[in-house]
């Protein structure tokens, strides 16, 4: 029982139920309003016709009623069936009083509906305007037209009326039939509403069923749009795009795990080999030393990989906060370029730099060093022998501009938008060349400093990275700028 109540409760919470209910409620209100409106219109038409008929009867009454010596009386041809009929119909609801409201003639109906009070009659006679109203005899309505009648210089108050029982009956039937039919129409409407809501929400259910089936092994699942171009198709497209992004990220992470394992395995294998050499084959102290040195080199490599991974997670979780101070960026760039001279020479790459004497700006020294080394190491790494790498630093009025350009392999246009993504490596890049993290760090460092970075690259020609950082306004920078100006002047 509790289960059934629970299921019912669950069903009433469903969007389908709520949509169908709103539809039925709206439909009911519309039907009631339409029914009320038709009844009101029908009543108006009927009353209009009755009023017109009464107007005619009033005219007929004036034709057949005349005041003679003994008072007013009906004058008609009693042998003419038509005239007899008209007069007898007039007499059914008829009242004639003198100017003081004293009844002179009246039909028995007036016993029930009551004669108008003398005051009322006097005021109607005074106004001279005809009056149309509905009077009731035990619920049975009578429409009465009353007003002033003058004959033979005598003023009377005359009222002719008509029972509206027949008309009320027609209205009653209309109302009854309409409201009897209403539940059936509403039932049909509910079934239709339920069906339409179900059909409209079907694609949603399909999205939810598909989403339930998705696991890490079938992230490339897509839902086929129905081609209707409506909101649900838009939802399906959004869902598919989201799945694409998820799949892409998942692929990157999967690739990253493979790369990390590969990166860690190579130095580990080397360390193992060197330790085995030390243990089993080395004989002289030089051989031991060489094996140890080689192993240490690989341990360094391992540490740098682990450091990179740690840094990445720290920057992503917001744990890495910049420690900004006034840094002479020109000096920093020169130091790093010096450090890269040996590896560049080793690859026969010509490395040159152009910097002002000083360029002081607010920056995190360590992160700025990392930014320059990552760009430089890429430039050297992806430039073949005989190529050139050039680093330029320029102090602009409001900004500092760092350009690292090379005559290396270049990056194909379709990869350029992705190179700053984590773990992204141009597919052809040799696996041992990196983890695809360097540029994501660069992007993070630039962003954290409030700067921007641009890439221009052409395959086979070279690549240029342009970093722009805000120069800030610091006393040290002002002094340095002044010193530079003095130098130029002297
Ligand atoms: P990696 O550790 O693989 O170098 P990065 O994030 O530093 O990772 O760079 C991402 C990718 O961008 C690299 O795989 C490489 O293909 C490309 N790339 C970066 N810098 C250069 C460059 N100066 N010349 C050519 N390709 C580059």
């Amino acid at each position: 029982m509790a289960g059934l109540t629970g299921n019912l409760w669950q069903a009433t919470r469903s969007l389908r139920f709520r949509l169908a209910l709103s539809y039925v409620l709206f439909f009911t209100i519309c039907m009631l309003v339409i029914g009320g409106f038709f009844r009101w219109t029908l009543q108006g038409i009927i009353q209009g016709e009755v009023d017109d008929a009464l107007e005619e009867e009033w005219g007929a009454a004036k034709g057949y009623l005349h005041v003679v010596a003994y008072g007013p009386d009906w004058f008609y041809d009693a042998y003419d069936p038509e005239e007899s009929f008209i007069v007898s119909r007039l007499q059914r609801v008829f009242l004639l009083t003198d100017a003081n409201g004293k009844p002179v003639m009246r039909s028995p109906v007036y016993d029930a509906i009551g004669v108008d009070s003398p005051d009322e009659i006097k005021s109607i006679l005074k106004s001279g305007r005809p009056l149309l109203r509905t009077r009731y005899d035990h619920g049975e309505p009578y429409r009465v037209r009353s007003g002033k009648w003058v004959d033979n210089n005598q003023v009377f108050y005359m009222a002719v009326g008509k029972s509206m029982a027949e008309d009320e009956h027609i209205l009653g039937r209309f109302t009854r039939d309409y409201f009897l039919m209403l539940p059936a129409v509403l039932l049909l409407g509910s079934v239709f509403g339920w069906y339409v809501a179900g059909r409209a929400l079907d694609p949603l259910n399909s999205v939810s069923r598909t989403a339930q089936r998705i696991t890490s092994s079938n992230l490339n699942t897509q839902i086929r749009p129905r081609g209707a171009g409506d909101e649900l198709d838009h939802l399906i497209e959004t869902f598919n795009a989201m799945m694409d992004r998820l799949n892409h990220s998942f692929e990157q992470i999967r690739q990253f795990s493979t790369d990390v394992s590969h990166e860690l395995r190579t130095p580990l294998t080397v360390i193992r080999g060197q330790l085995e050499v030390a243990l089993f084959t080395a004989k002289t102290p030089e051989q031991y030393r060489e094996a140890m040195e080689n192993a240490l080199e690989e341990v360094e490599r391992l540490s740098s990989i682990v450091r990179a991974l740690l840094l990445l997670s720290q920057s992503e979780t917001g744990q890495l906060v910049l420690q900004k101070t006034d840094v002479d960026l020109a000096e920093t760039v020169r130091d790093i370029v010096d450090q890269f001279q040996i590896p560049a020479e080793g690859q026969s790459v010509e490395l040159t730099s152009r910097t002002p004497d000083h360029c002081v700006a607010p920056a995190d020294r360590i992160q700025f060093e990392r930014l320059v080394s990552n760009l430089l190491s890429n430039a050297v790494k992806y430039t073949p022998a005989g190529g050139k790498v050039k680093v330029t630093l320029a102090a602009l009025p409001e900004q500092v501009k760092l350009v690292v350009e090379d005559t290396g392999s270049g990056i194909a246009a379709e990869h350029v938008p992705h190179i700053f993504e984590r773990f992204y490596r141009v597919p052809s890049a040799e696996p041992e060349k990196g983890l695809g993290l360097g540029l994501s760090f660069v992007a993070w460092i630039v962003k954290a400093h409030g700067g921007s970075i641009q890439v221009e690259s052409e395959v086979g020609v070279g690549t240029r990275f342009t970093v722009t950082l805000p120069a800030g306004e610091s006393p040290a920078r002002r002094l340095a700028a002044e010193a530079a100006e003095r130098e130029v002047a002297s």
Side-chain angles (χ1 to χ4, degrees), residues 229-257:
D230 56 6
E231 289 87 343
L232 285 167
D233 263 358
H234 183 62
L235 174 77
I236 292 174
E237 276 158 23
T238 312
F239 179 84
N240 285 343
M242 183 194 77
M243 288 310 298
D244 263 348
R245 286 198 300 274
L246 270 181
N247 193 23
H248 182 63
S249 308
F250 220 75
E251 270 306 314
Q252 279 188 345
I253 292 170
R254 221 177 264 160
Q255 182 64 40
F256 174 67
S257 318

Side-chain angles (χ1 to χ4, degrees), residues 330 333-338 341 350-356 376 389-393 402-403:
V333 169
R334 280 194 296 271
D335 285 350
I336 294 171
V337 169
D338 283 348
Q341 283 302 351
E350 186 193 324
L351 173 58
T352 56
S353 69
R354 198 151 60 89
T355 62
L376 249 179
V389 173
K390 194 164 127 200
V391 184
T392 318
L393 186 78
L402 171 77
V403 180

Side-chain angles (χ1 to χ4, degrees), residues 54 57-58 60-62 64-66 70 72-78 82-96 104-111 113 142-144 158-163:
L54 280 178
E57 292 198 358
W58 176 271
K62 284 203 299 191
Y64 291 115
L65 201 64
H66 295 293
Y70 56 88
D73 204 355
W74 299 100
F75 289 90
Y76 62 100
D77 182 358
E82 197 183 326
E83 283 192 17
S84 304
F85 174 73
I86 293 173
V87 173
S88 72
R89 202 178 62 195
L90 277 173
Q91 285 170 340
R92 261 187 248 159
V93 184
F94 185 81
L95 171 72
L96 191 73
V104 181
M105 277 182 187
R106 70 178 205 189
S107 51
V109 170
Y110 267 89
D111 294 340
I113 62 175
Y142 286 89
R143 190 77 178 152
V144 178
M158 178 166 77
V160 288
K162 190 173 182 309
S163 165

Side-chain angles (χ1 to χ4, degrees), residues 390-452:
K390 194 164 127 200
V391 184
T392 318
L393 186 78
L396 307 178
E398 309 266 309
Q399 292 163 329
V400 178
K401 201 159 128 187
L402 171 77
V403 180
V404 179
E405 50 196 322
D406 62 57
T407 58
S409 56
I411 310 165
E414 71 261 31
H415 298 298
V416 173
H418 303 290
I419 56 173
F420 293 104
E421 289 171 12
R422 292 180 301 139
F423 318 129
Y424 190 85
R425 290 190 352 221
V426 174
S428 63
E430 296 138 61
E432 64 274 14
K433 280 203 169 171
L435 281 172
L437 294 178
L439 285 183
S440 44
F441 274 131
V442 168
W444 179 81
I445 295 166
V446 170
K447 194 169 156 220
H449 278 87
S452 63

Side-chain angles (χ1 to χ4, degrees), residues 306-326:
V306 172
R307 248 196 327 269
L309 293 177
L310 196 68
L311 261 174
L312 179 79
S313 80
Q314 283 177 337
S315 65
E316 292 210 326
T317 52
Q319 284 168 289
L320 199 64
V321 183
L322 292 189
Q323 309 289 332
K324 277 199 204 168
T325 52
D326 280 335

